[in-house]
Amino acid sequence: MAITITDEVLVAYSQCPRKAYLLLYSEERGQLHEYHQILEQRRLSNQCKHLDILRQNNKPNVYPHNDENFRKGCELLINARLTANELQADCDVLTKVNKQTYEPTIFIGTHSVNDSDRLRLMFIGHVLGKIQGSPPVTGNLVAMDGKPSSIKLQQGQKTLISLLDPLQQWVANDSSRTEPPAILNKHCPICQFRTQCGTKAEQEDNLSRLNGVTPRAIRRYERKGIFTVKQLSYLFKPRKRKKRAKNPPPTIHNIELQALAIRTDRIYLQELPTLTRQETELFLDIESVPDQGLHYLLGLLVCQGETVTYQPFWANKADDEESIWQAFLALVNQYPAAPIYHYGSYEPRTIAKLARQHATDSENLNKRMINVHKQIYGKVYFPVYSNRLKDVARFVGATWTHPDASGLQSIVWRYKWDETHENQYKDMLLIYNEEDCRALKLLVEELFKIQLSANTLPEVDFADQYKQRTTEASEKV
């Protein structure tokens, strides 16, 4: 049976060579993530809507794609399947731009265009160019808002060919084809093969299980004979502290120390956290739909001594965003001295964006923001495979009601709420957001405990000088 390189396979190769290999040569199809299924449903809905409009506005000139209509040079061809040798691409609309050339248009299921969309369109243009003898100059991507984005197809040819060449070598030469290793990356959570590759990586104790370890770093370690996280852990060597420099180098994350923490199941410190606690503290988490630029839930945990109150600010639609922003500011300003804890850079960026959009002065707010991730990165090494909030907070005891709770899953719930307005999806999102806030609070408490008692906590050690361990008999004494 002939192997065909499709636009799906090409995009998959750009995300992970193993994914492309499995699509080409494996009978196992995996399980599409709910998010991917929803995007495909939205894409089909977008396609149907605009093809109907196209038929209504250009009825005499719209034809189904086939060889005869293509040769005739019909003005508009829809639902085209383009084939050139081992290459195959599906295109929603072909538009005649001159006597010899068509240009492609495809529909997508999001409100904004991403790199995978552009790559797919470039591949369609490449296949179309082989068929008609001259490559199209531009192509169009139509997002959910109906606005077309014109893409110059020739600008990405170098990238396209660099991805297409190895795929064509696979197809042309079976003897040179080998199954790519399971290397986990940021695309894995949405991939249909995530379970198979995750299991394989765990069985192999694969280096890619450590978040941030790139394929290049993996190759470098493999040249040294290091193939597993356990092996990597033995490379870490404590170094004596240098005298404080006038211009200290930037903090970096040491993956060898991270591997050591995992092997020994201990917390290692390069530096102590530097938290200053207050009687009143605020913990912030924001939920958004990235492709729409919609920030629909600002969740705030207000902690005053032993009293803890969760306050969500929810937007039913984009027009509600300003009102929840103003309500959020009103509550935050009731506690002008309280620090606002958050995790990562997303919350400050969102606060700055909302302040610009709604003409608000956020300078005082910015001064109060404390990024807990900065208290961990390169300083505190928990025995976990990544410094994501879910991983670190779970280690210190945080839990989530939904077993698949994640930022990606929250987008799925919001899409479903937008579609149905059923309260169960809104409740899931509110619970998830509150649990993120509480997990952050728990993590801050753990870091502060380490800050105060690192010398005496048995599960904590110093990276530059390990504690002297006592014998079992002396511990009893």
Side-chain angles (χ1 to χ4, degrees):
M1 181 179 175
I3 301 297
T4 303
I5 300 171
T6 65
D7 44 316
E8 180 190 14
V9 170
L10 180 78
V11 171
Y13 190 87
S14 72
Q15 296 162 341
C16 170
R18 180 178 175 82
K19 180 181 178 181
Y21 183 92
L22 294 174
L23 286 174
L24 283 171
Y25 301 108
S26 172
E27 294 182 1
E28 176 62 50
R29 296 291 88 184
Q31 178 61 46
L32 286 177
H33 192 282
E34 251 186 311
Y35 177 73
H36 192 283
Q37 294 176 33
I38 288 174
L39 289 190
E40 182 60 16
Q41 291 168 4
R42 289 157 64 93
R43 185 191 71 79
L44 291 173
S45 173
N46 192 26
Q47 179 195 54
C48 289
K49 181 179 73 174
H50 284 91
L51 288 183
D52 286 344
I53 295 172
L54 198 64
R55 291 187 186 99
Q56 291 170 12
N57 295 340
N58 302 273
K59 191 172 183 179
N61 303 315
V62 178
Y63 296 86
H65 172 267
N66 55 45
D67 291 342
E68 182 181 354
N69 289 338
F70 189 87
R71 284 194 300 271
K72 285 181 180 177
C74 297
E75 186 176 335
L76 289 168
L77 300 175
I78 60 174
N79 298 323
R81 171 153 288 184
L82 308 173
T83 304
N85 299 324
E86 74 281 1
L87 307 179
Q88 178 181 293
D90 290 328
C91 181
D92 298 319
V93 180
L94 292 176
T95 305
K96 191 79 169 177
V97 291
N98 57 47
K99 290 183 178 181
Q100 297 178 329
T101 308
Y102 281 96
E103 287 186 347
T105 296
I106 60 173
F107 303 99
I108 60 176
T110 56
H111 285 75
S112 59
V113 176
N114 60 38
D115 290 341
S116 294
D117 298 325
R118 295 186 188 91
L119 182 60
R120 181 180 167 220
L121 186 65
M122 285 190 289
F123 177 72
I124 292 170
H126 180 76
V127 179
L128 180 59
K130 287 184 175 295
I131 295 171
Q132 64 188 11
S134 60
V137 177
T138 61
N140 293 293
L141 287 157
V142 182
M144 290 294 290
D145 58 9
K147 297 177 182 177
S149 299
S150 181
I151 307 294
K152 293 184 178 180
L153 301 178
Q154 298 309 306
Q155 289 183 349
Q157 280 301 298
K158 186 178 290 187
T159 299
L160 175 66
I161 298 304
S162 69
L163 297 169
L164 197 52
D165 280 350
L167 287 170
Q168 291 178 309
Q169 289 173 18
W170 281 357
V171 173
N173 190 353
D174 288 347
S175 62
S176 66
R177 184 178 70 236
T178 57
E179 182 176 322
I183 297 179
L184 307 184
N185 60 44
K186 64 181 181 181
H187 173 71
C188 289
I190 197 177
C191 178
Q192 64 261 48
F193 302 111
R194 59 193 178 279
T195 301
Q196 297 94 313
C197 292
T199 301
K200 185 175 177 64
E202 185 176 355
Q203 291 171 347
E204 296 173 349
D205 194 23
N206 194 299
L207 290 174
S208 68
R209 296 179 72 198
L210 289 170
N211 187 50
V213 178
T214 63
R216 182 179 179 182
I218 290 174
R219 290 192 295 270
R220 186 175 72 248
Y221 281 117
E222 286 178 344
R223 287 195 291 270
K224 298 178 180 180
I226 304 300
F227 299 92
T228 68
V229 174
K230 185 174 182 179
Q231 291 173 337
L232 181 66
S233 70
Y234 290 100
L235 291 187
F236 178 75
K237 295 179 181 179
R239 290 177 173 81
K240 292 183 179 180
R241 291 184 182 178
K242 296 180 179 180
K243 292 182 179 179
R244 186 175 294 275
K246 291 183 179 179
N247 297 309
T251 302
I252 60 171
H253 181 74
N254 189 312
I255 59 173
E256 296 167 6
L257 181 54
Q258 190 73 59
L260 177 63
I262 292 168
R263 176 170 65 83
T264 59
D265 196 30
R266 302 181 64 77
I267 301 169
Y268 285 91
L269 302 179
Q270 289 275 38
E271 296 180 30
L272 282 171
T274 54
L275 295 168
T276 303
R277 306 299 301 278
Q278 303 290 336
E279 178 64 21
T280 301
E281 297 178 328
L282 309 178
F283 297 85
L284 173 65
D285 188 64
I286 299 176
E287 309 299 340
S288 306
V289 183
D291 73 285
Q292 297 178 33
L294 170 63
H295 310 292
Y296 66 88
L297 177 55
L298 311 178
L300 201 64
L301 198 69
V302 181
C303 302
Q304 295 176 288
E306 297 299 317
T307 304
V308 179
T309 307
Y310 171 66
Q311 180 62 57
F313 300 92
W314 172 273
N316 286 329
K317 52 188 185 301
D319 292 344
D320 298 335
E321 191 179 79
E322 183 174 4
S323 63
I324 69 167
W325 168 243
Q326 297 298 340
F328 167 78
L329 288 178
L331 180 60
V332 168
N333 289 334
Q334 290 179 24
Y335 311 100
I340 304 171
Y341 294 99
H342 62 93
Y343 200 85
S345 60
Y346 184 73
E347 278 71 21
R349 291 203 313 269
T350 303
I351 292 293
K353 179 183 174 182
L354 290 170
R356 286 195 306 272
Q357 285 181 345
H358 306 299
T360 311
D361 183 6
S362 62
E363 184 178 353
N364 180 55
L365 207 61
N366 294 333
K367 291 177 180 177
R368 295 163 57 189
M369 303 281 281
I370 298 176
N371 186 354
V372 179
H373 181 262
K374 286 187 176 180
Q375 298 287 327
I376 295 174
Y377 181 81
K379 300 175 183 178
V380 183
Y381 291 78
F382 291 94
V384 293
Y385 287 90
S386 85
N387 279 338
R388 299 186 187 97
L389 176 63
K390 300 290 187 302
D391 292 335
V392 179
R394 278 195 176 100
F395 175 78
V396 301
T399 59
W400 279 262
T401 300
H402 198 283
D404 296 324
S406 67
L408 187 61
Q409 189 63 45
S410 73
I411 298 173
V412 171
W413 292 332
R414 177 66 195 203
Y415 280 158
K416 289 185 174 182
W417 186 86
D418 286 334
E419 188 73 23
T420 66
H421 278 234
E422 292 181 5
N423 285 334
Q424 61 169 319
Y425 298 117
K426 181 177 178 179
D427 292 342
M428 286 178 179
L429 285 162
L430 293 174
I431 290 169
Y432 168 69
N433 183 263
E434 179 178 357
E435 288 174 343
D436 268 3
C437 292
R438 291 185 178 276
L440 182 58
K441 177 179 180 293
L442 194 64
L443 180 56
V444 168
E445 290 169 352
E446 179 69 18
L447 289 171
F448 192 62
K449 184 176 77 171
I450 291 172
Q451 178 179 321
L452 295 180
S453 309
N455 285 314
T456 57
L457 291 172
E459 70 274 17
V460 176
D461 216 330
F462 297 96
D464 58 341
Q465 187 174 1
Y466 300 156
K467 293 177 183 176
Q468 295 295 319
R469 302 293 169 199
T470 61
T471 64
E472 185 179 349
S474 64
E475 282 182 354
K476 290 180 180 179
V477 173

